[in-house]
Amino acid sequence: MEFLSLIVIFVAGLVGGAFGTLVGGGSLLTIPALLLMGLPPHTAIGTDRLGQSGVGLAGLYSFHRKGMMRYGLAIAVGIPNLLGAFIGANLALQISPALMKRFIIALTVLLLLFVAVNPRVGVAVEKRPLSVGAYLWGGFLSLLVGVYGGFYGAGAATFQTYIMLFVFRQTFLESAANLKVATVLMTLTSAATYAYNGAIHLPLGTAQFVGACLGSYLGVRYSDRIGNVWIKRLFIGVICLMAVKLLMG
């Protein structure tokens, strides 16, 4: 593997990790970069799952140090993500990509409009206690996100952010913190599944992992300065980019 390729993927992991740790969507940058390095599609996705685990691990450590973690909530969405990721990674060759793509496009546009027109979503802090129903509904939706994360991954953390915003009434900063357990479990489970099937390029995955760790650490460190309002704007921008990319194929 050429040294230049490792540098390119490191930088992609760094940039993707910096904004991905706050709003998700880092794989929208890293998977195309891995494909440009000549990896087959499934190997690119598997390698990206390994690299993206750095976002979750570094982000979890950093948010924990800030005292922002609610581990009960984090585990409640993390375990369904783990199960879903295992299912998604194993069904990657059996699910119709065209059908999934149409569903994701429709859901992306619908939820984007809801976030854009509701100024309080993800910005206003709500202290109301969560019901058992919210945990059950959020767990089920997290299972579906985990399936998608194991199948492809790009935008999985973004969809998980929707769940944290709408079901658990988190702010953007709170959701960025409390979905990190889910990110770690989802990416490592799917990475292990792809690795078992020989679909991971270890040198590039390691380079992306190191870059993602550094990017995630920097993103969390400056998250307070950015604030919920600007994170929401970044989130909307990432969603628009994801929608355009899906539409263009």
Side-chain angles (χ1 to χ4, degrees):
M1 177 57 58
E2 296 182 2
F3 181 71
L4 179 60
S5 297
L6 297 175
I7 294 297
V8 169
I9 297 304
F10 170 81
V11 173
L14 175 68
V15 176
F19 69 81
T21 198
L22 298 178
V23 298
S27 293
L28 296 172
L29 173 64
T30 52
I31 289 180
L34 289 165
L35 291 171
L36 285 175
M37 296 301 105
L39 296 186
H42 284 91
T43 302
I45 294 172
T47 302
D48 178 74
R49 297 296 81 199
L50 172 61
Q52 285 297 105
S53 67
V55 174
L57 289 168
L60 177 59
Y61 169 77
S62 301
F63 278 119
H64 174 80
R65 291 190 62 188
K66 283 192 167 191
M68 295 182 64
M69 295 299 304
R70 288 177 55 187
Y71 283 103
L73 174 58
I75 292 172
V77 298
I79 297 301
N81 263 184
L82 183 153
L83 296 175
F86 178 77
I87 295 171
N90 281 282
L91 293 179
L93 296 176
Q94 302 179 39
I95 300 176
S96 167
L99 178 61
M100 177 172 283
K101 180 180 176 180
R102 287 194 293 269
F103 173 76
I104 291 171
I105 291 174
L107 186 62
T108 297
V109 174
L110 178 65
L111 293 177
L112 171 62
L113 292 174
F114 187 86
V115 171
V117 302
N118 192 331
R120 291 179 57 84
V121 170
V123 176
V125 178
E126 296 191 36
K127 297 300 183 182
R128 289 181 297 171
L130 294 170
S131 66
V132 174
Y135 278 100
L136 292 175
W137 180 234
F140 173 71
L141 293 176
S142 296
L143 176 68
L144 298 182
V145 170
V147 173
Y148 170 69
F151 179 84
Y152 180 54
T158 307
F159 285 118
Q160 189 65 49
T161 299
Y162 277 129
I163 297 173
M164 305 302 281
L165 294 175
F166 298 144
V167 179
F168 296 110
R169 301 191 299 273
Q170 300 268 283
T171 66
F172 278 97
L173 273 175
E174 289 170 340
S175 66
N178 290 308
L179 62 76
K180 287 297 174 286
V181 170
T183 300
V184 172
L185 294 177
M186 180 170 56
T187 53
L188 288 180
T189 299
S190 54
T193 304
Y194 279 104
Y196 179 77
N197 289 280
I200 281 185
H201 193 288
L202 189 57
L204 288 178
T206 302
Q208 183 185 338
F209 177 87
V210 174
C213 283
L214 179 57
S216 180
Y217 172 78
L218 292 174
V220 175
R221 180 175 182 180
Y222 294 105
S223 60
D224 291 335
R225 300 184 188 182
I226 299 172
N228 283 306
V229 173
W230 277 101
I231 292 177
K232 180 176 182 177
R233 293 169 181 169
L234 176 61
F235 179 80
I236 292 174
V238 169
I239 291 295
C240 289
L241 177 63
M242 184 166 70
V244 170
K245 181 175 176 61
L246 288 169
L247 288 169
M248 294 178 64

